[in-house]
Amino acid sequence: MKPPVFDYVRAGGIEEALDVLAREGGDARVIAGGQTLMAMLNMRLVRPATLVDITRIPALQHIEERDGALVVGAGVRQADLLAWPGLSAYPLLAAALPWVGHTQTRNAGTVCGSIAHADPSAELPLVLVALGGEVHLRSRRRARRVKADDFFLGTMTTARDDDEMIEAVAFPKAGGGAAFREVARRHGDFAIVACAAVVRGGKARLAVGGVADRPVARDLDGDLDAALDAFAWDLEARDDIHATARYRRELVRRIGRQVVEAAGNEHGIDTPTSPVLSAPRGGEGRSVEISSPSPPLRAGEGRGEVGRHARHERRPISFSLNGKQITGDAEPRLLLSDFLRHTLGATGTHVGCEHGVCGACTVQIDGRPRRACLTLAVQAAGCDVRTVEGLGGGGRLGPLQQAFRDHFALQCGFCTAGILMSLDALFRERPDAGENEIKEMLAGHLCRCTGYASIMRAAMAAREEPDA
């Protein structure tokens, strides 16, 4: 699965991005984290004529408390928000964020990107609806704010016009108790059913995702069981390959009651495991600018025709690979995984599912584990990229690799390179990472051979090595 051909514009500022959207309308798509869009491109579910990359626009890299709400810019990654020191003041958001994908995808995926794609099972749209938040839209014609209840129209369908981009989203404070729970096939997968509750002044508001074609919220009055039963039936659940309609309705009734009761208790916030790899932290004040993990644009780069790259035009790319500066060239649509393997010969990076699920292609970009199959090669320009070839040295295995060998933590080895890159990043960030943190990191990888027990033994042993 490979993306179709497209033009590529790395916008140097908001105005340039809006110019492209005004000119090309529905033929253009905005890309930031790309964790949903790249998977759709790889499967040819979307075929935009132009991608507008807003990743390196400084004005979109902000987390700010304003008018009783948390305003998150379009360039803020999910991992950045999860690591923000003030997040505890927004307990519903803090509870839901660890359930958004896996560490590896949160390191790239953006908060606003999840809102823009409006998957009916996604956690962040659900939280925005539960809190009564709003989406800040901007185009050349106007700037406007749309309430979450009005923004999500259906499955991956929103009220955004073709020439508009999401500039920020605003999550209001709960103003009372809040709680979140979801049921999925495995932690990090899209929810079969997710429920978020807010209780203010004795009144409960419940939002449900994963059942209807968009997240839906309702104020629950009177008898709770009767209100939940009516809500579950009104959602018009249907059978699919993941669950039956009856199962989904029962989940709405059961976990809906759980989150409402938890939200009604001042200490009932259900917060899952904290992130295992934190983003760089900002200041302790009420507003913080999140530094983009990618380098700033050089003078003239990404503006006008300099930043535009036509469909078949090969663009020179330069970045650090395992400590050495390399240069190559690639079409805009070339995936980083393919660029590493076929252009640079770094074949230790393996290619599996090509839609960000299996984890075999995981590499480190600026110190964070990320999916190379969901990253364009042109997006890595100027970054520090590390692959499994960079773990050892002088023809010898690194401590983590040696631990995998000693504890028989691999058989076919296809998934191993990606697992090593994730664990290496974890131990660099948290040398004393506990068993649950290691399991959380490993949840972003699929292995068909070992059953994970030997991988855990190897990881726990490598944790004790000072150079791991």
Side-chain angles (χ1 to χ4, degrees), residues 438-457:
I438 294 172
K439 287 180 178 179
E440 172 76 7
M441 182 64 84
L442 290 175
H445 293 271
L446 297 178
C447 176
R448 296 180 178 181
C449 298
T450 67
Y452 297 98
S454 56
I455 295 176
M456 278 298 301
R457 287 193 293 269

Side-chain angles (χ1 to χ4, degrees), residues 90-97 100 115 122-134 148 152 170-172 178-180 194-198 200 205 207-209 215 217:
Y90 299 85
L92 186 58
L93 195 55
L97 267 169
V100 179
I115 302 300
E123 294 82 4
L124 291 176
L126 175 67
V127 171
L128 195 68
V129 168
L131 292 172
E134 61 183 18
F152 301 108
F171 295 93
F180 172 90
C195 291
V198 177
R200 304 183 182 100
R205 176 178 170 89
V208 175

Side-chain angles (χ1 to χ4, degrees), residues 386-444:
R386 194 165 183 241
T387 67
V388 69
E389 288 90 348
L391 291 185
R396 302 182 62 181
L397 297 177
L400 185 57
Q401 293 169 303
Q402 189 63 48
F404 266 60
R405 179 177 178 177
D406 294 343
H407 292 271
F408 307 101
L410 68 156
Q411 288 186 31
C412 79
F414 194 81
C415 66
T416 306
I419 292 173
L420 289 170
M421 298 314 296
S422 286
L423 290 175
D424 175 76
L426 172 61
F427 293 145
R428 286 177 181 274
E429 179 75 15
R430 301 189 183 183
D432 59 346
E435 183 176 346
N436 286 338
E437 291 177 303
I438 294 172
K439 287 180 178 179
E440 172 76 7
M441 182 64 84
L442 290 175

Side-chain angles (χ1 to χ4, degrees), residues 207-464:
V208 175
V211 181
D213 61 355
R214 61 191 183 280
V216 179
R218 176 176 292 184
D219 294 331
L220 303 180
D221 298 319
D223 179 75
L224 181 56
D225 287 332
L228 287 170
D229 188 62
F231 193 10
W233 277 101
D234 288 345
L235 289 171
E236 298 183 355
R238 295 179 175 86
D239 296 344
D240 59 27
I241 62 172
H242 302 294
T244 65
R246 179 178 178 180
Y247 181 59
R248 282 193 165 92
R249 291 191 188 101
E250 287 299 326
L251 286 176
V252 171
R253 295 183 183 102
R254 290 172 183 259
I255 66 175
R257 167 175 276 281
Q258 292 170 7
V259 294
V260 169
E261 290 177 346
N265 185 326
E266 183 180 357
H267 304 288
I269 304 303
D270 178 43
T271 305
T273 306
S274 58
V276 297
L277 188 64
S278 61
R281 294 183 181 273
E284 298 294 330
R286 292 178 59 82
S287 176
V288 59
E289 295 290 328
I290 298 296
S291 298
S292 171
S294 301
L297 293 169
R298 294 185 292 273
E301 182 181 354
R303 295 173 174 84
E305 292 306 310
V306 177
R308 187 183 185 87
H309 298 278
R311 297 185 177 195
H312 297 289
E313 178 187 349
R314 299 180 69 85
R315 177 188 180 183
I317 305 170
S318 178
F319 57 80
S320 173
L321 178 62
N322 298 322
K324 297 181 180 179
Q325 198 66 25
I326 62 92
T327 300
D329 59 273
E331 289 183 54
R333 72 178 184 133
L334 186 66
L335 302 175
L336 177 60
S337 52
D338 291 332
F339 185 68
L340 290 171
R341 290 179 57 82
H342 303 306
T343 302
L344 304 181
T347 55
T349 299
H350 295 161
V351 176
C353 67
E354 290 194 312
H355 56 278
V357 174
C358 73
C361 69
T362 301
V363 300
Q364 293 173 18
I365 301 177
D366 294 330
R368 299 184 183 186
R370 287 174 50 178
R371 305 295 202 221
C373 76
L374 298 182
T375 305
L376 296 171
V378 292
Q379 292 179 297
C383 295
D384 178 20
V385 179
R386 194 165 183 241
T387 67
V388 69
E389 288 90 348
L391 291 185
R396 302 182 62 181
L397 297 177
L400 185 57
Q401 293 169 303
Q402 189 63 48
F404 266 60
R405 179 177 178 177
D406 294 343
H407 292 271
F408 307 101
L410 68 156
Q411 288 186 31
C412 79
F414 194 81
C415 66
T416 306
I419 292 173
L420 289 170
M421 298 314 296
S422 286
L423 290 175
D424 175 76
L426 172 61
F427 293 145
R428 286 177 181 274
E429 179 75 15
R430 301 189 183 183
D432 59 346
E435 183 176 346
N436 286 338
E437 291 177 303
I438 294 172
K439 287 180 178 179
E440 172 76 7
M441 182 64 84
L442 290 175
H445 293 271
L446 297 178
C447 176
R448 296 180 178 181
C449 298
T450 67
Y452 297 98
S454 56
I455 295 176
M456 278 298 301
R457 287 193 293 269
M460 296 296 285
R463 184 186 60 174
E464 308 300 327

